[in-house]
C-alpha cells in the first residue's frame, strides 16, 4: 500500500432498503425497478461475527464500497486480525487493512502510536477506529482512481478493469501501476485475484429468475427478499414473457447474441449489485455477448452510431433490444438497453437495463438493474439529456465463454 491522492470523497449515505419494501410501498413502476435482492455480505461467508461489525463500520464510512468487497480486502490484508503487523522497507503496516504510517496519519490525523481514547492500545490497532478510518481512506482513494480513469480512458486499467479492481491495485501497489497495467507486481496480481473471487463468493446469493411458485413462500419470508416473489415481480413487469416477436431492434451480422438472447442475458446481469460502476456502455454490450463495447465512453459510442447511420436521434419510442443514450453532467454520457419496448411509447412501460440507477436505494455500488424508462429519467438521467436510440452495435471483442456463463458482472 502507498500514499493516496488527497481528493475528498463526496459519498452520501443512504440506508439500504429491502426489495420487498420497495415492492410493497412504491407501486407498480418502482416494483418493476427492483427485481433482485442486494448483493450484501452472505450469512454463509466465512467472516467472523465481530468482523462483520467492522465491515459495517467501514461501509458506513464509505457506502460506495460493497460489503463483500470490504470483507474480502480485510481478509486479504489481515485475516480479520486487528493487531496484524507486517514489516517492509517503508516502515511496515498495521491493522485490519494494513495501513502504513503516512496513510494512517493522513486519514486519521494522528500517528500510528496515538491513543486518543486513552485505553492503552494504539488506535490503529483498535478495530472499530481502524475500520471507520479505513473506510474514509478507501473513499478518498476511490475518488483518485476515478479521476485517473476519466483522465486516461485509453489505459488498459480503465478499459478492461472495474473501478474496484483499480482501487485494489492502487491500494496495494500505488496509482502509478494503473498506467502500467497489465504489467503489475505478481503480489498485486494475486491480491486482486483473491479479492475478486472472495467478493463474488461472499455476496448474498441470488436466485434464478424463474423458479418456484408464489404460493411456495412461507410467512417467515415476508421480511426479506424471498425467492418466490422474484418471478411474480417479473411477470407483473412483463419481463418473463419477453421473446421473439413485437418491434425488435436490428442486430448487425456477427453479433454473438440476438435480441432474445440479449434480453435473457440482461435479466441475469441484473442480479449483480456491484462490478458495473461507471461501466454503462460495457454493460449493454455485455448483454449482446461482448467483453466490452469497444468505445471509450457512451458519448463516443453515440457519436459513432450517428456517423454510421445506426442512430435514431430524439426518437422516444425505442424497440426492444435497442441501446439508449443520454448526455450527462460529465463527459462520458450514459447508455442503457431496452429489455421491453412499448407500442404506445409509454416511458412507464418501457423497461431498460442500466447500471447504478438504484444504488442509493439498495446501498450498493455499481449494481445492474431492470428499471422503467420513467424511473431512470426521474433524476439519474434527465429527459432533456436524451439523445436517442441506436441499433445494438458494439465494436468490442466477444466475451470469453466462462464470463458469459457466470453473467454475474463481477468479473
Amino acid at each position: 500500500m502507498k500514499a493516496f491522492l488527497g481528493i475528498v470523497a463526496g459519498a452520501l449515505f443512504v440506508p439500504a432498503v429491502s426489495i420487498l419494501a420497495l415492492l410493497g410501498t412504491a407501486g407498480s413502476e418502482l416494483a418493476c425497478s427492483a427485481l433482485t435482492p442486494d448483493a450484501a455480505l452472505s450469512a454463509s461467508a466465512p467472516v467472523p461475527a465481530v468482523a462483520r461489525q467492522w465491515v459495517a463500520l467501514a461501509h458506513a464510512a464509505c457506502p460506495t464500497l460493497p460489503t463483500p468487497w470490504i470483507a474480502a480486502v480485510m481478509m486479504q490484508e489481515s485475516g480479520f486480525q486487528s493487531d496484524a503487523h507486517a514489516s517492509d522497507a517503508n516502515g511496515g503496516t498495521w491493522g485490519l487493512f494494513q495501513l502504513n504510517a503516512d496513510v494512517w496519519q493522513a486519514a486519521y490525523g494522528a500517528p500510528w502510536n496515538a491513543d486518543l481514547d486513552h485505553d492503552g492500545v494504539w488506535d490503529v490497532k483498535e478495530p472499530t477506529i481502524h475500520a471507520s478510518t479505513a473506510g474514509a481512506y478507501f473513499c478518498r482513494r476511490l475518488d483518485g482512481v476515478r479521476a485517473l480513469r476519466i483522465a486516461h480512458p485509453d489505459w488498459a486499467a480503465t478499459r478492461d478493469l472495474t473501478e474496484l479492481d483499480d482501487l485494489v491495485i492502487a491500494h496495494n501497489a500505488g496509482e502509478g501501476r494503473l498506467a502500467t497495467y497489465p504489467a503489475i507486481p505478481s503480489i498485486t496480481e494475486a491480491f486482486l485475484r483473491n479479492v475478486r473471487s472472495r467478493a463474488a463468493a461472499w455476496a448474498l446469493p441470488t436466485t434464478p429468475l424463474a423458479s418456484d411458485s408464489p404460493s411456495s413462500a412461507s410467512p417467515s419470508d415476508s421480511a426479506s427478499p424471498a425467492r418466490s416473489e422474484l418471478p411474480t415481480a417479473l411477470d407483473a413487469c412483463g419481463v418473463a414473457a419477453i421473446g421473439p416477436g413485437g418491434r425488435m431492434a436490428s442486430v448487425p451480422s456477427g453479433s454473438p447474441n440476438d435480441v432474445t438472447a440479449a434480453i435473457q442475458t440482461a435479466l441475469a446481469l441484473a442480479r449483480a449489485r456491484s462490478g458495473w460502476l461507471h461501466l454503462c456502455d460495457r454493460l449493454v454490450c455485455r448483454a449482446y455477448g461482448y467483453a466490452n463495447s469497444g468505445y471509450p465512453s457512451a458519448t463516443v459510442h453515440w457519436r459513432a452510431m450517428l456517423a454510421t447511420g445506426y442512430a435514431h436521434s430524439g426518437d422516444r419510442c425505442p424497440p426492444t433490444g435497442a441501446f439508449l443514450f443520454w448526455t450527462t453532467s460529465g463527459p462520458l454520457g450514459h447508455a442503457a438497453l431496452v429489455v421491453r419496448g412499448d407500442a404506445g411509447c409509454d416511458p412507464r412501460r418501457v423497461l431498460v437495463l442500466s447500471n447504478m440507477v438504484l444504488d442509493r436505494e439498495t446501498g450498493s455500488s455499481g449494481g445492474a438493474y431492470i428499471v422503467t424508462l420513467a424511473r431512470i429519467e426521474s433524476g439519474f438521467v434527465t429527459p432533456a439529456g436524451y439523445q436517442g436510440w441506436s441499433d445494438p452495435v458494439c465494436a468490442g471483442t466477444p466475451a470469453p465463454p466462462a464470463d458469459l456463463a457466470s453473467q454475474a458482472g463481477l468479473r
Side-chain angles (χ1 to χ4, degrees):
M1 272 237 349
K2 309 291 182 185
F4 62 95
L5 300 179
I7 302 175
V8 177
L12 172 67
F13 177 61
V14 179
V17 295
S18 74
I19 297 304
L20 290 189
L22 288 172
L23 296 178
T25 63
S28 61
E29 179 182 333
L30 189 54
C32 292
S33 300
L35 301 177
T36 54
D38 276 358
L41 186 61
S42 171
S44 63
V47 181
V50 67
R52 289 173 181 267
Q53 299 175 25
W54 306 334
V55 169
L57 286 170
H59 179 69
C62 189
T64 301
L65 299 176
T67 50
W69 185 91
I70 294 171
V73 174
M74 190 186 295
M75 171 61 191
Q76 183 66 26
E77 287 286 26
S78 67
F80 306 118
Q81 301 301 309
S82 61
D83 61 350
H85 173 68
S87 299
D88 60 29
N90 297 315
T93 54
W94 272 107
L96 292 172
F97 291 97
Q98 292 295 282
L99 303 184
N100 66 31
D102 290 341
V103 166
W104 182 259
Q105 175 76 47
Y108 188 57
W112 259 354
N113 61 356
D115 180 21
L116 302 186
D117 60 356
H118 306 292
D119 65 351
V121 178
W122 289 8
D123 293 344
V124 72
K125 295 187 281 185
E126 293 269 14
T128 55
I129 297 173
H130 188 105
S132 294
T133 303
Y137 149 75
F138 278 118
C139 250
R140 295 188 185 102
R141 194 146 205 171
L142 180 58
D143 272 2
V145 166
R146 286 172 173 168
L148 287 173
R149 287 171 65 91
I150 291 172
H152 301 283
D154 56 323
W155 283 0
T158 303
R159 295 194 318 268
D160 301 336
L161 300 179
T162 68
E163 284 188 347
L164 293 181
D165 291 339
D166 284 350
L167 180 57
V168 167
I169 294 173
H171 168 66
N172 183 255
E175 277 82 355
R177 290 296 184 178
L178 299 179
T180 69
Y181 180 84
I184 58 177
S186 58
I187 191 171
T188 304
E189 186 176 7
F191 192 112
L192 177 60
R193 183 172 58 250
N194 290 339
V195 169
R196 277 177 176 172
S197 61
R198 286 179 180 136
W202 294 355
L204 184 69
T206 55
T207 58
L209 293 177
S211 64
D212 301 339
S213 63
S215 61
S216 66
S218 66
S220 62
D221 290 331
S222 60
S224 62
R227 297 175 46 153
S228 57
E229 265 104 9
L230 296 179
T232 303
L234 288 170
D235 291 338
C237 296
V239 178
I242 286 178
R247 185 165 172 252
M248 312 281 271
S250 177
V251 181
S253 176
S255 175
N257 285 345
D258 61 14
V259 171
T260 302
I263 300 310
Q264 295 306 312
T265 302
L267 296 180
L269 289 168
R271 299 184 181 115
R273 286 297 170 266
S274 63
W276 296 103
L277 202 64
H278 301 297
L279 294 176
C280 59
D281 209 40
R282 181 183 298 183
L283 176 64
V284 299
C285 285
R286 182 65 62 85
Y288 276 94
Y290 294 92
N292 48 67
S293 74
Y295 304 97
S297 69
T299 296
V300 175
H301 194 166
W302 173 248
R303 290 172 184 165
M305 298 301 94
L306 285 171
T308 52
Y310 289 105
H312 300 257
S313 296
D315 186 346
R316 295 194 61 84
C317 197
T320 299
F323 291 162
L324 305 180
F325 294 90
W326 289 265
T327 59
T328 61
S329 59
L332 303 182
H334 187 69
L337 166 67
V338 179
V339 298
R340 186 191 69 188
D342 178 59
C345 310
D346 185 345
R348 296 170 299 177
R349 295 187 57 80
V350 176
L351 298 178
V352 302
L353 170 72
S354 173
N355 66 326
M356 298 173 59
V357 64
L358 293 180
D359 276 359
R360 284 188 177 184
E361 287 90 333
T362 62
S364 303
S365 175
Y369 307 94
I370 304 293
V371 299
T372 65
L373 179 55
R375 175 63 180 83
I376 196 175
E377 289 191 325
S378 65
F380 184 75
V381 293
T382 66
Y386 181 71
Q387 294 177 290
W389 64 270
S390 81
D391 291 319
V393 177
C394 301
T397 57
D403 200 12
L404 286 174
S406 68
Q407 300 303 349
L410 295 173
R411 304 192 69 80

